[in-house]
Amino acid sequence: MVTKTREDCLPEFVDLLLDTVFLVDARGRIVYVNAACERMFGYTPEELMGQSLLDFVVPEDRARTLEEAKQVIAGHSRIGFENRYIRKDGRRVHIMWSARWSEKDQLRIGVARDVTEQKHAEAMQLATYAISEAAHNATDLDVLLREVHRIIATLVPVAGLAIATCDRRTKQLSFSYQMDRHGNSPVLHEPIACQFCAQVICNARPMLSHDAALAALSGNVASGDDSGPWLAVPLITQQETIGALVVKGDPGTHYSDKDKELLHFVSGQVAIAIDRAQLKTELLRAARYDELTGLPNRRLFQDRIRSAVARCVRKQSLMAVLYIDIDDFKQVNDSFGHATGDLLLREVARRLQLCVREADTVARLAGDEFVVLLEDVQTLEDARAVADKIRGAMSHPIDVDSRMLRTLASIGIALYPEHGQGIEQLLQHADEAMYADKRNKARVPT
């Protein structure tokens, strides 16, 4: 084999160029590289010559780089091919190539330009647009966080990603999202991760650590296997810090200052997106659920009963509606105050939920008026059995602020389609039946 030298193929001034010039033989071995390589790759020319150029390419880019080399050797000159390399210090650099094949010298002549800064700026801009679009299109917070994971994985090496958020009321930190690249969860040991994130939030700046150091944080040094780095950044909106984003790297992953800068920039967009999504979720919940008891409110109940009627029509099945009123509730409010009355209503809601199936609906319509929607009942007796169960649950004394309160429930039942095929008819029949139950109890001598 004939080894070519710089004098054979290149002019003397090549070492003055800012771009790196490579001569690579047909086997992929570096025959010559100019002085610019040390600034770009961290290696001196002497360290690179004789090495396989492909060994310095990031693993994810090797297959297409090899295919590109075949195209060049086949005589197709290339301008603008991009791939990534691992520097001597472990950092990744984005390189743009121009290359051609010298048939006479049996060498690939390549000129490499470092476009890492350009790629970094483009990545920040694209990530901003992508996260903004994800926040706009996401139907709920879970969908948004999965899309955030996908976007971040295009920016930095990600074996797994976790997002911790602070509860708006209690400020307690918990993980609302954890997923590795294969869709498995969890990816972090949560108690240790919470301590780490709490430090990140307190310091309000990115932090890099490893499994062994994080295990030591919890006093459990033996469990730390140092399997990969954790890079965490605070999620800061314009008003406050709402949590932290944690990227888990594979063993050997090196997160550079540029990675930290990029993730810190993106985290600001992520924080705004999450904050808006949480607010949207809270507003939607407030519009559909009763704030005091957490039960579906009248609006959500109307949606569910409409859907239930449609299913009954399609399946030719029966459905029951139980209208429930708490006897003498006004007297509790008047005697002990509204705060006690609120506690009583919460307990009533809890007991009602324990009396029905998970698929059934318990809703609070207003004040002390509740309604239960029972689907797929076989007979009226099934509904009556549930009503008796509710009466039994309500008959037990309720401990409210160290006061033992006794209350009863008046219940009216309407069966679909026997007592009406329309929603208003069913509710009216159940309401009238409830008042009839209340009147009958009033006639019973005490």
Side-chain angles (χ1 to χ4, degrees):
M1 184 192 76
V2 178
T3 302
K4 297 296 179 179
T5 65
R6 177 185 66 179
E7 287 76 17
D8 294 322
C9 304
L10 297 167
E12 291 285 345
F13 62 77
V14 73
D15 275 339
L16 300 176
L17 297 176
L18 296 177
D19 293 335
T20 302
V21 178
F22 281 91
L23 298 182
V24 183
D25 66 21
R27 296 182 304 159
R29 298 286 173 181
I30 301 170
V31 173
Y32 168 79
V33 61
N34 69 341
C37 71
E38 189 167 2
R39 182 181 64 255
M40 195 174 295
F41 297 97
Y43 295 96
T44 64
E46 292 73 25
E47 289 175 309
L48 288 177
M49 283 191 283
Q51 302 294 322
S52 170
L53 183 61
L54 195 65
D55 289 344
F56 299 94
V57 177
V58 300
E60 307 94 279
D61 292 356
R62 286 177 184 172
R64 63 186 187 87
T65 299
L66 196 58
E67 182 59 34
E68 180 71 13
K70 291 178 182 178
Q71 293 292 321
V72 172
I73 292 173
H76 302 288
S77 296
R78 306 287 282 180
I79 297 176
F81 174 74
E82 294 182 16
N83 59 1
R84 294 167 296 170
Y85 285 76
I86 302 173
R87 284 174 47 91
K88 188 175 182 178
D89 60 9
R91 291 189 289 120
R92 295 185 174 200
V93 287
H94 291 260
I95 301 299
M96 180 181 289
W97 287 93
S98 295
R100 68 175 178 84
W101 174 250
S102 172
E103 186 65 30
K104 173 186 173 184
D105 302 308
Q106 290 292 292
L107 293 171
R108 271 186 291 152
I109 303 172
V111 179
R113 175 165 294 178
D114 187 346
V115 293
T116 305
E117 289 292 338
Q118 176 185 333
K119 288 293 180 182
H120 180 71
E122 290 175 357
M124 287 197 292
Q125 185 178 44
L126 289 173
T128 299
Y129 291 149
I131 293 170
S132 177
E133 184 176 8
H136 178 74
N137 295 332
T139 53
D140 57 42
L141 185 58
D142 288 339
V143 172
L144 171 63
L145 296 183
R146 286 196 295 271
E147 185 62 12
V148 165
H149 187 166
R150 185 195 67 78
I151 293 167
I152 290 177
T154 67
L155 304 175
V156 296
V158 175
L161 184 135
I163 295 175
T165 53
C166 300
D167 185 273
R168 286 179 180 271
R169 296 179 180 176
T170 66
K171 301 302 180 182
Q172 185 174 355
L173 192 66
S174 63
F175 281 90
S176 50
Y177 181 87
Q178 287 201 61
M179 198 76 68
D180 68 12
R181 63 164 62 94
H182 305 296
N184 301 316
S185 179
V187 296
L188 304 174
H189 182 56
E190 199 157 309
I192 301 175
C194 275
Q195 292 182 62
F196 182 47
C197 289
Q199 287 187 359
V200 171
I201 292 170
C202 182
N203 295 334
R205 60 180 178 82
M207 290 180 64
L208 180 65
S209 192
H210 292 77
D211 286 336
L214 289 162
L217 180 67
S218 66
N220 187 10
V221 181
S223 68
D225 59 2
D226 204 21
S227 62
W230 295 18
L231 175 57
V233 293
L235 296 173
I236 305 174
T237 65
Q238 293 179 344
Q239 292 80 26
E240 60 182 339
T241 302
I242 64 167
L245 182 150
V246 185
V247 173
K248 180 74 163 62
D250 287 310
T253 298
H254 174 86
Y255 288 119
S256 66
D257 289 339
K258 288 294 183 185
D259 291 330
K260 296 176 188 176
E261 180 187 346
L262 181 59
L263 205 58
H264 189 52
F265 173 81
V266 169
S267 70
Q269 315 303 314
V270 172
I272 293 171
I274 290 175
D275 193 50
R276 289 176 178 172
Q278 288 178 329
L279 180 59
K280 180 180 178 181
T281 299
E282 290 176 6
L283 290 174
L284 287 174
R285 180 171 180 81
R288 298 169 67 83
Y289 288 86
D290 174 53
E291 183 179 2
L292 177 65
T293 63
L295 296 177
N297 62 13
R298 183 183 294 272
R299 177 181 296 179
L300 182 54
F301 173 74
Q302 290 287 343
D303 290 344
R304 290 190 178 178
I305 195 172
R306 276 195 292 269
S307 299
V309 167
R311 285 190 289 271
C312 286
V313 171
R314 186 172 64 253
K315 295 161 58 177
Q316 295 295 296
S317 58
L318 302 181
M319 174 186 74
V321 176
L322 278 59
Y323 209 106
I324 303 164
D325 182 86
I326 307 304
D327 296 340
D328 300 324
F329 177 72
K330 185 177 183 301
Q331 183 177 342
V332 172
N333 266 347
D334 292 343
S335 300
F336 305 109
H338 289 283
T340 298
D342 287 348
L343 292 174
L344 175 62
L345 290 175
R346 288 196 187 100
E347 178 61 19
V348 167
R350 189 188 71 84
R351 293 190 183 189
L352 287 175
Q353 288 177 299
L354 293 175
C355 291
V356 301
R357 301 164 297 184
E358 188 175 347
D360 298 325
T361 294
V362 179
R364 181 189 179 204
L365 299 185
D368 61 334
E369 295 179 2
F370 297 83
V371 64
V372 173
L373 179 61
L374 304 173
E375 292 192 62
D376 294 319
V377 297
Q378 302 301 313
T379 65
L380 181 60
E381 291 306 313
D382 292 339
R384 286 174 175 164
V386 174
D388 289 340
K389 187 176 181 181
I390 291 172
R391 290 188 182 98
M394 296 303 166
S395 66
H396 297 294
I398 298 176
D399 185 358
V400 179
D401 276 349
S402 301
R403 298 187 182 94
M404 300 305 294
L405 302 179
R406 294 183 178 273
T407 187
L408 298 174
S410 296
I411 305 174
I413 303 172
L415 191 68
Y416 174 91
E418 180 179 334
H419 298 133
Q421 297 188 12
I423 294 172
E424 293 304 321
Q425 287 177 297
L426 284 171
L427 292 176
Q428 183 176 351
H429 184 92
D431 187 39
E432 292 172 354
M434 181 272 293
Y435 277 109
D437 184 39
K438 193 179 289 285
R439 286 193 298 272
N440 289 337
K441 284 189 292 185
R443 295 192 191 103
V444 176
T446 57

